[in-house]
Amino acid sequence: MENTNKPENPEHVEMDVGQLLISDFNKVNLKPKSNWEKVLTSTTRDNVQLLVNQIWTLPAKCIEEVIVTDLPKPTYVLPRSRKVPNPKALTKWEQFAKEKGIQKKKKGKSKLQWDDILKKWIPTHGYKKVEAEKTNEWCIEYKEGDDTDPREALKKAKTEKVAKNELQRLRNLAKSKNIKVPKVGVLNTVSAKDPKLLEYGAKVAEVSTASLGKFSEKPPRKTDGKVTKAKNKLKKKKKNTTGRNPGRAGKAPETASSKKPKAGKGNRDFRKKVGGRKRRN
Amino acid sequence: MPAGVGSSVLQRVTKPKTHKGKKVLLDREPKVIENTKQIFFVKGAKTTPELQECLKDIYTLKKPDAKILRNRNHITPFEDATPLEGFGKKFNANHFMMISNNKKRPNNLVIGRLFEHTLMDMVEFGVENYMSLNSFKNEKIATGIKPMLVFQGELFENNSEFGRIKNLLVDMFHREDVEQIRLQGLEHVLSFTAHDNCILFRSYKTLLKKSGTRIPRIELQEIGPRMDLRIRRIKLATDDLFKQACKKPKVLKEKKKKNITEDTFGSTLARVHLGVQKLDTIQTRKMKGLKKTTAEKKRKAAEDLDNSQKKAKVSNVTITEA
């Protein structure tokens, strides 16, 4: 074997058998260009021979009449295509179950259940269960003194259940991705009792349009709100125009008039040459 | 406050409609053990037939982890690489190769890779002395074979840029990591030789000849493609980003086993630590003579009862005090 391959300087050769990679850091003598292909082929051959020698020393075995060797793990470090994923965040239920030590039910249980009426095995979930339910409940009694359709009520209950589940799913998703969810948009029973929060919720709803409420009409609100109070104050300040205490409320009219056009017939100013009628020469 | 609420719009959640769509989306998420890296080939605004052949030849070497885009794309990757990043995201591929031809840079070949759908490394080559796969009239190799990669030349060790280009080329051509390999399947060699701002790309088929020993003698036969890649522009990631990309997941890191060694005969030696033995309570051999008599047993039981009553009293007292 030795005569078939003699590397010039074996110290400068790095090998990663796991990756089938060999790096020969010796200088390749490519002086006359006409000789390139010969030199390249011979040096490559020597290096491949070195790698093959190494591979043939690894333990080989025969699998289905094919000789196979176990390769060691590659050592040459290559970058990943994506970052290492973080462990998945627990959902609210999973966290609760973990705290309380609630375990998932074993999966060995059969997914089929015996239906006594149909005399058939019915799956616990899926369309076949729904079909079975439809055939079983072909008649539902009305409750006494209640005119609402019981089927409608069942349907509504189902849709509400689905909607709630979806909301919880989204909430878990937002939590895992660290997104802030506005609490006032969705009023729960606690916040609904607090009038302050209710008012705040109404304010949020007012500006919850694509234009941030710029073009939407303000809904009629009961007069005990803060907005009307502030307006009253302004009116009072306007009445006594002595300007003794130009406080926060005193500045408000200026800001209110900021939207008025600067130019126009009434705002004639000769120095600034703004306003007035158009001069014709 | 209302304005603040308006500005923080909730991110839209794309929910897959079909089971297949869900599987596709899940496959695209970052994983601990990643899929085989895919490559896509892009044609620039203008190309030459020679370059197109080159692209096709590399595609045949990379099949089936490759995709060729049919249309021409007016992309200048060194000015703006966002279209390429977009393609990478779309095809879930993180290597790319692009060809273009113009007066300033004739026969231009750009290869690069993405990390997290953003550009990481990119190198521009001028293709010289191209000889296609078909111009070598001989038997080719089977598709999908893991090649042996040979890197030659001192530049790969001394020059950091060449080192990174080597990393890029290994990443692009090594195919997937395997645990086992068929010895007869070692039939393809890709050789990269660094020479004077040029990388000489050669592709050979190995012929395993008898040598008289167990290890065969290797002969090489060039099958193409052959090209000399002259390096033009280079855009490499910072060492920080590269290091971050090379981070290994903790799960895959092997834990070191303590106190276990192997001696020269191949038998494993291990040291086991035992705690302090409690000699007074330890159960030794049972003998009739050492057995407790009934009187002793009774006395023991009475003592235990007494002790427990005392304890109960103490606890009672504490409760009343509280």
Side-chain angles (χ1 to χ4, degrees):
Chain A
M1 199 68 258
E2 266 60 43
N3 56 1
T4 56
N5 105 75
K6 275 180 266 170
E8 284 168 21
N9 195 356
E11 292 109 54
H12 267 74
V13 175
E14 266 181 27
M15 233 189 283
D16 181 4
V17 181
Q19 200 72 277
L20 301 181
L21 168 72
I22 183 162
S23 320
D24 177 6
F25 299 128
N26 296 306
K27 197 175 183 187
V28 186
N29 192 17
L30 291 167
K31 259 286 135 72
K33 209 181 175 186
S34 55
N35 224 3
W36 269 25
E37 296 314 318
K38 236 182 183 178
V39 174
L40 282 178
T41 315
S42 68
T43 46
T44 309
R45 196 211 75 82
D46 285 348
N47 286 321
V48 171
Q49 183 74 57
L50 267 180
L51 188 66
V52 164
N53 290 355
Q54 200 67 38
I55 292 166
W56 249 259
T57 56
L58 296 168
K61 56 188 170 186
C62 204
I63 299 173
E64 292 169 7
E65 296 174 13
V66 172
I67 300 164
V68 164
T69 47
D70 291 330
L71 286 180
K73 275 193 177 170
T75 49
Y76 190 75
V77 180
L78 291 172
R80 294 170 59 84
S81 59
R82 304 289 301 275
K83 275 179 192 165
V84 179
N86 291 328
K88 219 176 178 186
L90 294 175
T91 63
K92 209 172 178 183
W93 161 251
E94 277 169 347
Q95 211 167 14
F96 178 76
K98 203 181 169 190
E99 275 171 22
K100 297 279 175 185
I102 301 164
Q103 283 183 339
K104 268 187 184 174
K105 275 182 190 170
K106 271 188 186 174
K107 273 195 171 172
K109 260 169 95 180
S110 169
K111 285 175 184 170
L112 297 173
Q113 278 176 334
W114 180 254
D115 198 316
D116 260 343
I117 306 162
L118 292 173
K119 307 279 184 224
K120 229 193 214 172
W121 288 96
I122 302 295
T124 29
H125 305 288
Y127 74 102
K128 279 187 180 172
K129 192 212 173 184
V130 177
E131 276 175 7
E133 262 181 5
K134 266 182 195 169
T135 47
N136 278 348
E137 296 178 353
W138 56 275
C139 161
I140 305 174
E141 278 182 41
Y142 272 83
K143 278 180 188 172
E144 247 178 67
D146 193 1
D147 277 351
T148 51
D149 188 0
R151 275 196 201 283
E152 284 291 308
L154 278 174
K155 220 176 188 178
K156 205 182 167 190
K158 171 88 181 172
T159 49
E160 263 174 22
K161 219 172 165 185
V162 169
K164 190 193 167 196
N165 197 20
E166 181 67 9
L167 187 73
Q168 279 173 340
R169 188 184 75 86
L170 290 175
R171 209 182 274 155
N172 280 325
L173 207 73
K175 204 181 123 200
S176 70
K177 289 192 173 174
N178 234 345
I179 305 162
K180 275 184 185 170
V181 183
K183 281 176 187 168
V184 282
V186 188
L187 290 173
N188 52 15
T189 47
V190 182
S191 58
K193 277 173 193 168
D194 192 350
K196 265 189 184 173
L197 275 175
L198 270 176
E199 197 185 340
Y200 180 53
K203 269 187 185 174
V204 170
E206 236 170 63
V207 293
S208 299
T209 59
S211 56
L212 303 180
K214 201 177 172 185
F215 304 109
S216 54
E217 271 182 42
K218 286 196 174 178
R221 213 185 282 171
K222 280 177 186 174
T223 46
D224 57 340
K226 269 182 188 173
V227 182
T228 46
K229 270 184 187 173
K231 265 185 187 169
N232 288 343
K233 263 186 194 174
L234 290 185
K235 274 178 190 171
K236 272 178 197 171
K237 284 283 182 266
K238 263 189 182 175
K239 270 176 192 173
N240 52 356
T241 48
T242 50
R244 262 184 295 168
N245 51 346
R248 232 178 78 222
K251 276 180 186 173
E254 210 181 343
T255 53
S257 66
S258 62
K259 275 196 177 176
K260 276 184 185 171
K262 276 173 189 144
K265 209 177 179 185
N267 304 331
R268 193 168 179 180
D269 192 339
F270 291 109
R271 280 180 210 153
K272 285 180 187 172
K273 293 185 181 174
V274 170
R277 77 183 155 78
K278 205 174 179 185
R279 270 162 239 171
R280 290 183 193 113
N281 297 326
Chain B
M1 194 65 198
V5 171
S7 62
S8 65
V9 178
L10 247 177
Q11 262 185 317
R12 302 249 181 279
V13 181
T14 44
K15 198 181 173 188
K17 277 176 189 165
T18 57
H19 183 62
K20 198 180 174 188
K22 189 182 174 184
K23 268 161 79 179
V24 168
L25 282 184
L26 273 176
D27 194 51
R28 287 180 177 201
E29 276 179 8
K31 292 173 189 166
V32 175
I33 298 167
E34 293 188 314
N35 301 350
T36 315
K37 287 172 182 168
Q38 305 287 312
I39 186 169
F40 61 93
F41 297 94
V42 187
K43 274 180 251 171
K46 278 180 184 171
T47 55
T48 58
E50 191 189 71
L51 264 181
Q52 287 191 35
E53 187 134 37
C54 166
L55 201 73
K56 255 182 206 167
D57 285 352
I58 297 173
Y59 171 70
T60 47
L61 291 184
K62 279 292 293 177
K63 261 196 283 188
D65 304 320
K67 185 183 182 70
I68 285 192
L69 303 198
R70 216 177 49 170
N71 292 352
R72 293 178 183 283
N73 288 282
H74 293 249
I75 301 170
T76 45
F78 279 85
E79 274 79 65
D80 179 23
T82 39
L84 290 173
E85 291 168 354
F87 282 139
K89 200 169 186 184
K90 189 177 173 189
F91 303 129
N92 199 22
N94 84 326
H95 289 149
F96 63 84
M97 201 171 268
M98 192 187 151
I99 51 168
S100 60
N101 185 49
N102 54 40
K103 200 172 175 184
K104 196 175 180 185
R105 295 189 183 85
N107 285 347
N108 213 29
L109 176 76
V110 180
I111 65 170
R113 60 181 162 194
L114 313 170
F115 174 64
E116 282 286 325
H117 306 311
T118 48
L119 185 76
M120 188 155 79
D121 296 333
M122 185 162 61
V123 191
E124 193 178 50
F125 297 109
V127 179
E128 294 167 6
N129 305 330
Y130 182 74
M131 279 179 83
S132 73
L133 208 62
N134 288 336
S135 61
F136 293 88
K137 301 282 180 229
N138 46 22
E139 211 181 314
K140 307 292 185 227
I141 47 153
T143 50
I145 265 181
K146 189 175 166 77
M148 291 188 271
L149 301 170
V150 183
F151 284 83
Q152 296 164 140
E154 51 186 1
L155 276 168
F156 282 124
E157 194 185 30
N158 302 335
N159 192 327
S160 65
E161 280 179 346
F162 268 80
R164 187 67 73 77
I165 293 169
K166 177 191 164 188
N167 192 296
L168 177 61
L169 289 169
V170 172
D171 201 6
M172 207 166 259
F173 290 104
H174 85 284
R175 290 196 176 274
E176 55 205 299
D177 295 344
V178 288
E179 286 174 356
Q180 291 178 325
I181 197 151
R182 193 169 62 97
L183 290 179
Q184 294 300 316
L186 295 167
E187 61 173 352
H188 189 208
V189 175
L190 283 177
S191 151
F192 302 91
T193 312
H195 171 71
D196 186 28
N197 199 31
C198 227
I199 290 176
L200 313 178
F201 179 101
R202 300 287 181 272
S203 163
Y204 303 98
K205 183 188 161 98
T206 58
L207 305 165
L208 305 174
K209 293 279 169 69
K210 278 176 188 169
S211 70
T213 56
R214 208 175 67 84
I215 303 168
R217 187 190 148 78
I218 301 292
E219 289 289 330
L220 295 181
Q221 185 185 32
E222 191 164 2
I223 53 166
R226 174 200 289 180
M227 52 186 147
D228 303 342
L229 302 166
R230 188 162 293 283
I231 296 170
R232 280 176 181 157
R233 284 179 289 181
I234 296 178
K235 199 175 188 181
L236 299 176
T238 56
D239 286 344
D240 259 9
L241 181 70
F242 186 73
K243 206 176 166 188
Q244 196 195 349
C246 288
K247 217 174 177 185
K248 228 181 166 186
K250 260 188 185 175
V251 193
L252 294 183
K253 276 181 191 163
E254 279 180 29
K255 272 184 188 172
K256 212 181 173 185
K257 281 177 183 170
K258 268 182 167 183
N259 299 334
I260 295 176
T261 52
E262 202 167 282
D263 68 357
T264 46
F265 304 110
S267 52
T268 44
L269 301 174
R271 206 184 325 148
V272 181
H273 290 276
L274 289 173
V276 180
Q277 288 185 40
K278 291 171 185 170
L279 289 168
D280 42 347
T281 54
I282 200 167
Q283 176 70 56
T284 48
R285 200 176 159 203
K286 290 176 178 176
M287 281 191 290
K288 243 186 183 177
L290 293 172
K291 238 183 181 177
K292 279 169 188 166
T293 57
T294 42
E296 268 177 339
K297 269 184 192 170
K298 265 184 190 173
R299 203 190 306 151
K300 183 86 197 297
E303 262 176 26
D304 284 352
L305 193 73
D306 208 36
N307 276 343
S308 62
Q309 273 175 351
K310 265 184 194 170
K311 264 184 195 169
K313 263 183 193 171
V314 169
S315 63
N316 273 344
V317 168
T318 50
I319 287 163
T320 46
E321 271 180 349

